[in-house]
Amino acid sequence: MKVNHLVREEDLPQLSEGLRKDFEDFCNSIFVEDPYNCLGLDNHTLKGDLRGYRALEIDENGVSYRLVYRIYEKPAPKRVFILSFAEHDLAYEKAKDRK
């Protein structure tokens, strides 16, 4: 599975070192192996303006983050496209702007 993203260079420095490492793990492992269930990590489908997208729920030190992505089955090859990774509300705002 191929993983592409629109997470900008200015986005990642806003995240902790641990979340930046997690981002690499999501791109290189979790989304490649199990994009729908994220190997058991909390995730959900989105509605409204982001219908068809999913959000991976990440909590760090009491702060809620969301990684917003979409899975494309067709045309082949199957792929994951990541729109944003930020604190909860900001992640959704960025995703809406980037879709």
Side-chain angles (χ1 to χ4, degrees):
M1 164 126 29
K2 187 173 181 175
V3 178
N4 294 319
H5 64 83
L6 277 179
V7 174
R8 306 267 201 289
E9 289 298 320
E10 66 265 17
D11 295 348
L12 292 177
Q14 303 300 317
L15 302 171
S16 70
E17 184 177 333
L19 288 175
R20 289 192 302 267
K21 183 184 179 319
D22 288 346
F23 181 74
E24 291 178 30
D25 292 342
F26 300 140
C27 291
N28 297 324
S29 178
I30 292 171
F31 288 142
V32 172
E33 295 176 37
D34 188 19
Y36 288 102
N37 296 309
C38 299
L39 301 177
L41 297 174
D42 290 333
N43 68 91
H44 60 277
T45 58
L46 299 175
K47 301 175 185 174
D49 291 339
L50 292 171
R51 184 181 187 145
Y53 291 85
R54 302 183 63 79
L56 179 60
E57 303 171 21
I58 302 117
D59 291 318
E60 182 184 66
N61 299 323
V63 179
S64 294
Y65 292 84
R66 294 296 182 269
L67 192 152
V68 179
Y69 66 101
R70 185 170 194 160
I71 303 164
Y72 291 94
E73 297 281 344
K74 296 179 183 177
K78 185 174 169 180
R79 62 209 178 282
V80 172
F81 189 69
I82 302 170
L83 285 177
S84 64
F85 186 18
E87 286 189 36
H88 184 279
D89 293 344
L90 184 57
Y92 293 125
E93 290 171 22
K94 288 181 177 187
K96 288 176 189 176
D97 289 344
R98 295 174 180 173
K99 71 175 194 155

